[in-house]
Amino acid sequence: RLVDAIHEKGLQTPNLFATTPLNHAETTSAIREALDTGSALPANLSVHCFVEALQQLCFSLAVPIISPALFPTTEVGPETIQSLTRRLLEDLQPISYNVVVYFISFFRECLLYKESNNLAAAHLARMALRMCSPPNPSIVLDSGSLARRAGMQLILLHLLETSSI
């Protein structure tokens, strides 16, 4: 429902996925309440409020959509990107696979309006990584973990920039 609301409210909106709305805690709460109760989503909110609610929903999941255990352990480069991407998709649990494919498809559609919404594939790859595998703020990542996160971001960028999944 959140992705549909974002789509309906405008993929062409400037600074989509880059603007935090005012009173975002209050508006996110109202949106989450509507989702939880099955009632209509608030109609008077900006698209940025729904983007924020989608991000917060992903950040609050007990289990990440992409487990850090699936992050690449080898360097991601032109010669390995295709096989690492395939391995990721094969190793995802079915529900996680569906969510990743859905998000990638949605973000590709957002990129169709990049001239008006100011989005770039690299920005959406970072956003997809944060949404699918939020970093734990209480853990300081070592250089190896940071490199693995960077590798996963490259895989997500590859998925955004290629026509096949």
Side-chain angles (χ1 to χ4, degrees):
R1 288 180 58 195
L2 287 174
V3 169
D4 289 342
I6 295 166
H7 193 274
E8 288 173 19
K9 291 200 170 272
L11 297 181
Q12 300 97 342
T13 304
N15 302 315
L16 193 64
F17 287 94
T19 300
T20 301
L22 297 175
N23 302 321
H24 66 89
E26 182 179 309
T27 57
T28 299
S29 178
I31 292 168
R32 290 289 296 265
E33 178 71 20
L35 291 172
D36 291 344
T37 61
S39 60
L41 292 170
N44 60 334
L45 300 178
S46 76
V47 67
H48 298 291
C49 295
F50 290 94
V51 168
E52 180 72 16
L54 177 62
Q55 292 171 347
Q56 292 303 318
L57 177 67
C58 291
F59 299 158
S60 71
L61 295 174
V63 176
I65 298 162
I66 300 175
S67 167
L70 297 178
F71 288 7
T73 56
T74 59
E75 187 174 335
V76 178
E79 64 285 342
T80 60
I81 189 78
Q82 193 70 31
S83 63
L84 290 170
T85 302
R86 188 176 333 105
R87 183 178 319 143
L88 168 67
L89 295 173
E90 290 171 353
D91 290 348
L92 286 168
Q93 294 295 317
I95 188 72
S96 294
Y97 174 88
N98 289 339
V99 172
V100 168
V101 169
Y102 189 78
F103 278 164
I104 293 297
S105 297
F106 172 63
F107 287 152
R108 284 179 181 170
E109 186 154 352
C110 291
L111 286 171
L112 295 175
Y113 304 99
K114 63 184 175 188
E115 297 301 320
S116 57
N117 63 24
N118 306 319
L119 287 175
H123 175 78
L124 286 177
R126 281 190 304 278
M127 184 58 55
L129 179 59
R130 286 187 62 228
M131 290 170 64
C132 291
S133 191
N136 185 334
S138 64
I139 297 175
V140 177
L141 298 176
D142 60 30
S143 61
S145 296
L146 289 171
R148 292 181 72 205
R149 280 190 75 78
M152 181 54 66
Q153 184 175 319
L154 289 173
I155 289 170
L156 293 169
L157 179 62
H158 178 73
L159 285 168
L160 285 170
E161 292 181 332
T162 58
S163 59
S164 63
I165 288 189

